Amino acid sequence: MYRFLFSSKWLGYLLLAAIFATGCVFLGRWQMDRRAETLAEIQRVTSNYSAAPISFADARDDFRQLNPDREWTQVELRGSYDMTGQRIVRNRPLNGQPGYEVVVPFRLVSGETVVIDRGWLPIGNNNPGRPDSIPAPPTGQITAVVRLKHGEPALQRGAPDGQLASIDLPAYSAQLGYPLLTGAYGQLASETPPAADMPQAFPMPSVEEGTHLSYSLQWFAFGILMFVGFGYAARQQARNAAIDAADAEAAVSGGAPSGAGAGARRRPPAARKRKHPTAEEEEDAILDAQGY
């Protein structure tokens, strides 16, 4: 019944089904990898975001090279801002609104310098391409609590004077003309004494898993359904071939075709009797009566 599966046409169908299923498995695994990354980020946020701050002495190596598991760790820093090195970072949307982030070098009491991202500013209405105003950081010795973040890669685009295309710490250091710790920067959580005016604070990162799991299961299901559809089509083809073979055999042997029940063989219809003879029949009857 299934010998047709070895034909070139059905082998081609099987190959297409296998290619489609392979693509579905690849996409499903990709969604699972994305889910694993999301779960790891959620774990980092829940473990580090609100934990007690550690000292700079304990975080010095993190500012040189940040372990991903240490991202969002709170660190307490003591020192002063270098106002002359303040920059704004372009193209930083927040909650769907375009804007900027304000980064400032922070010189520690130990003599080392790190970068602090003080917050977000909306795009300006008065000066195109700039915020309307940039709040100044507090002067003098302050204590800042920051959350560790990885530096960003360089972007192949420039920025106007006083702005950065990304938080590319080595490029920022070269622009300032003095060394920075370039393994990480700090996203501001609080500073003491506080400034009179502050950029908008960053919201806590999302801890929602998202739809990666459901999407991955859907892709796996699509791959399985492709073979289910192939099997159903093959079954229908086999049934149709069996019916055609039975009909052909019945036609040769004079039996009933497949699909007709036993005893359902049709008889030729009986000839219908005429109620009135034709004119030719009446004329023949008259001649017979006269002996012709």
Side-chain angles (χ1 to χ4, degrees):
M1 290 177 61
Y2 292 94
R3 194 174 301 169
F4 62 88
L5 290 175
F6 295 98
S7 65
S8 59
K9 181 176 74 172
W10 280 89
L11 288 175
Y13 290 158
L14 181 60
L15 178 61
L16 290 176
I19 292 173
F20 180 83
T22 301
C24 290
V25 170
F26 174 81
L27 291 171
R29 290 179 62 87
W30 176 71
Q31 287 289 348
M32 292 296 287
D33 291 341
R34 292 286 304 277
R35 177 175 182 259
E37 294 173 1
T38 302
L39 292 177
E41 176 67 12
I42 291 173
Q43 178 62 31
R44 284 193 291 269
V45 171
T46 55
S47 299
N48 301 336
Y49 192 85
S50 299
I54 63 176
S55 67
F56 173 74
D58 294 332
R60 180 179 278 107
D61 291 340
D62 294 317
F63 278 101
R64 292 192 174 108
Q65 184 174 0
L66 181 60
N67 186 318
D69 292 336
R70 301 270 286 176
E71 189 175 17
W72 301 112
T73 298
Q74 293 199 98
V75 182
E76 185 177 87
L77 306 175
R78 290 184 176 88
S80 59
Y81 286 109
D82 176 14
M83 180 60 188
T84 62
Q86 177 175 275
R87 301 288 187 273
I88 59 174
V89 189
R90 297 170 56 82
N91 302 318
R92 315 300 281 202
L94 181 65
N95 298 326
Q97 184 179 358
Y100 307 86
E101 292 178 20
V102 183
V103 292
V104 190
F106 188 81
R107 183 164 287 113
L108 300 162
V109 293
S110 63
E112 296 156 301
T113 305
V114 299
V115 173
I116 294 182
D117 188 342
R118 299 190 66 241
W120 181 85
L121 295 172
I123 195 168
N125 297 317
N126 301 325
N127 299 315
R130 298 186 65 86
D132 288 337
S133 63
I134 304 174
T139 59
Q141 292 292 310
I142 69 166
T143 299
V145 175
V146 300
R147 294 184 176 96
L148 293 174
K149 289 280 292 176
H150 287 279
E152 298 173 357
L155 300 179
Q156 301 303 315
R157 61 169 181 258
D161 186 40
Q163 300 188 20
L164 301 174
S166 68
I167 307 178
D168 176 12
L169 297 175
Y172 190 12
S173 177
Q175 190 179 114
L176 293 172
Y178 56 80
L180 299 173
L181 296 180
T182 57
Y185 69 96
Q187 194 177 87
L188 185 64
S190 66
E191 56 189 10
T192 306
D197 190 15
M198 286 282 295
Q200 182 176 330
F202 295 105
M204 180 177 177
S206 173
V207 291
E208 296 293 330
E209 179 181 333
T211 57
H212 298 302
L213 178 60
S214 62
Y215 283 164
S216 65
L217 295 178
Q218 288 176 21
W219 282 117
F220 291 142
F222 290 156
I224 294 172
L225 287 175
M226 189 63 182
F227 286 106
V228 172
F230 178 85
Y232 177 79
R235 174 61 178 165
Q236 291 297 108
Q237 176 70 15
R239 291 184 61 185
N240 292 338
I243 292 173
D244 292 343
D247 288 345
E249 183 180 354
V252 171
S253 62
S258 63
R265 188 178 300 167
R266 294 183 179 179
R267 298 179 180 179
R272 296 176 60 186
K273 296 181 179 180
R274 300 187 183 94
K275 295 182 179 180
H276 301 287
T278 63
E280 290 79 3
E281 290 174 342
E282 291 179 349
E283 184 177 353
D284 290 341
I286 294 172
L287 292 175
D288 290 340
Q290 293 177 359
Y292 293 101

